Amino acid sequence: MTIRMKNRGALIATAACVAMAVMAGAVQAEPVDDSLTIDGEPITVRASAPEGLPFDENLSGWLYRSAETRQLETDTFENPGMLAVERGEEIWNTVDGTAGKSCASCHNDAAETMKGVGASYPKWDADSARPINVELQINKCREENMGAEAYKFDAPEQKELTAFIKHQSLGMPVKLDLDQGDLQEWWERGKDLYYLRTGQLNLACASCHEKNNGNFIRADHLSQGQVNGFPTYRLKTGLTSVHNRFKGCIRDTRAVIPTPFSDDLMALETYVTWRGTNLAVETPAVRQ
Amino acid sequence: MQMTRRQMLAYSAATAGMAAVGFSIGPAMAAVEETEKAIAEFAGGATPETGRITLTAPEIAENGNTVPISVEVDSAMSGDDLVESVTILAEGNPNPEVCTFHFTEMSGSAAATTRMRLAQTQNVIALAKMKDGSVFMDKKLVKVTIGGCGG
Amino acid sequence: MASKPRIKLPKSAAAGEVITIKTLISHTMESGQRKDKEGNPIPRQIINTFTCEFEGAKVFECELDPAISANPYFEFNAKVEESGTFKFTWVDDDGSVYETEQDITVS
């Protein structure tokens, strides 16, 4: 290009061109046309959306990531999240608490007994009359059966054990049974929250992840906000739980940060997990 | 290409937008001097030549915390045709040093991959030192995006 | 700080073959550039050296600086002429040494 300008102008033009080059990525805002295999096994990253969603197709967040980030998830060796899964396996086999039991004492081989768990939680918990996710199920088991203390929110052990358990369902389609207990009512509550604008920026979950997925927010390529890969290895923060992600997202709308495992977030987890129906469990997914 | 007034406006808007969100463009010059020093130290008197070494890095890194990089040096890796070491430098980081690989005949080939941190958009430099003392260099500009929320 | 390292290399190879080795170790690679909540600098603590040896002979070595990402990952090659044992060593700033070994059968 020939631009005749004084030095300062040329500098600005150069800077603008660099900026435009970055923005060029934004032009190709559509999710990539790529298919995921993990250790050679195909993983569903495009699936038919459940009835009631405005999308025809559910898309894994994997499709919105750069080639380098996508690559990291294709090999369980290269995926840094697998280090956490391995530690989770050690925890699974380690005796803890007054009852002298490990997870394995009752549940034996997780590859058999935990298969499907990551694809079907949250479930209805009649005892607490609330939805229960894998993290809370672990705590319930620790307190009631192992004589051990519940893990605090986002304790490394909680994230690692959750990642290990959910990883046993790698590749299985997400499917919630909303007929359990009052789960449908909690789903409704979660749906209300999903569409409720909050915070100083007045954003609902739907503002970004339903209306604008595929577009850029600053330099980030917005995805559908699916949770099928949690706990996820984020390049930014390492292994990240879904409630931590909810907190971060809501914080970014400049709303009051919600409490992990609160009624609101359990309702939201139920609803958002349902939105990802038919997508494969990717735990631990790799994202930016 | 002649820029139209409209294009120019669009470009300015893009620049302004970037400035508003604190997006840094181009390498920070502060560490360039340090990098030059590190290059001279590694080269040990030799003048780095181009060729033989290939540095592979993403054009745009989605997150500066984990940027995959690979180096490969064209060498028989036996006898006198041997790569002794390869160093990686980043001229926009707080310190330019990233890592140094040492190879032997048993390496089979002078190739390595790792993951590095990039504080901002900058040049990444790879230097190879051969057994005969010659030094080869490759350089890649990696743009680091500053995320919004990562969703 | 670090847990059992992960190694990936073939169990067997042909004599003279150049194989690919991948290694990954869990480590925060604290850069020394960060500050804690009170604003005090967090001291640097990284893996500073990684070595791969085959039957006592050096195959590959890397000196690491704080610009290497958390959970250091390396992929490199080795030329194998005979069966033997690879030994991998990571040295931590705090003096800890993490080691692991893996055999290969060469025919």
Side-chain angles (χ1 to χ4, degrees), chain A residues 43-65:
Chain A
I43 301 286
T44 303
V45 286
R46 289 173 183 269
S48 58
E51 203 174 319
L53 278 194
F55 314 131
D56 292 334
E57 216 177 16
N58 267 343
L59 303 176
S60 162
W62 185 80
L63 293 164
Y64 295 81
R65 302 280 55 90

Side-chain angles (χ1 to χ4, degrees), chain C residues 25-53:
Chain C
I25 189 166
S26 168
H27 199 285
T28 52
M29 294 292 283
E30 191 58 58
S31 67
Q33 301 286 340
R34 299 199 308 160
K35 287 183 177 157
D36 63 18
K37 279 176 190 157
E38 281 77 45
N40 305 311
I42 304 172
R44 162 186 149 152
Q45 194 192 345
I46 66 167
I47 299 271
N48 57 53
T49 313
F50 165 73
T51 317
C52 168
E53 290 170 308

Side-chain angles (χ1 to χ4, degrees), chain A residues 83-149:
Chain A
L83 288 163
V85 169
E86 284 189 357
R87 278 195 299 272
E89 184 173 15
E90 285 169 25
I91 297 165
W92 177 266
N93 290 306
T94 303
V95 171
D96 196 6
T98 54
K101 288 180 190 170
S102 68
C103 305
S105 307
C106 295
H107 298 291
N108 304 311
D109 182 4
E112 288 175 24
T113 59
M114 294 296 118
K115 197 176 167 71
V117 166
S120 57
Y121 271 73
K123 287 189 171 177
W124 180 249
D125 180 50
D127 296 338
S128 62
R130 302 169 75 220
I132 189 167
N133 60 10
V134 174
E135 287 90 338
L136 292 179
Q137 183 68 63
I138 291 168
N139 277 350
K140 188 176 178 184
C141 227
R142 286 178 62 81
E143 288 185 310
E144 292 181 5
N145 304 321
M146 294 169 69
E149 277 183 31

Side-chain angles (χ1 to χ4, degrees), chain B residues 64-67 72 76 78 90 93-118, chain C residues 18-19 24 28-31 33 46 54 57-80:
Chain B
N65 274 343
T66 312
V67 183
E72 188 161 11
S78 68
N93 273 0
N95 299 300
E97 293 83 13
V98 177
C99 65
T100 304
F101 304 117
H102 299 281
F103 300 98
T104 68
E105 285 198 20
M106 289 179 73
S107 306
S109 77
T113 297
T114 188
R115 298 169 185 162
M116 67 173 293
R117 293 168 170 155
L118 286 171
Chain C
V18 176
I19 61 163
L24 185 65
T28 52
M29 294 292 283
E30 191 58 58
S31 67
Q33 301 286 340
I46 66 167
F54 184 74
K58 193 186 285 178
V59 174
F60 174 81
E61 186 182 83
C62 182
E63 297 163 56
L64 293 75
D65 287 283
I68 292 294
S69 305
N71 306 323
Y73 172 84
F74 292 111
E75 190 178 322
F76 54 95
N77 298 318
K79 191 174 184 179
V80 285

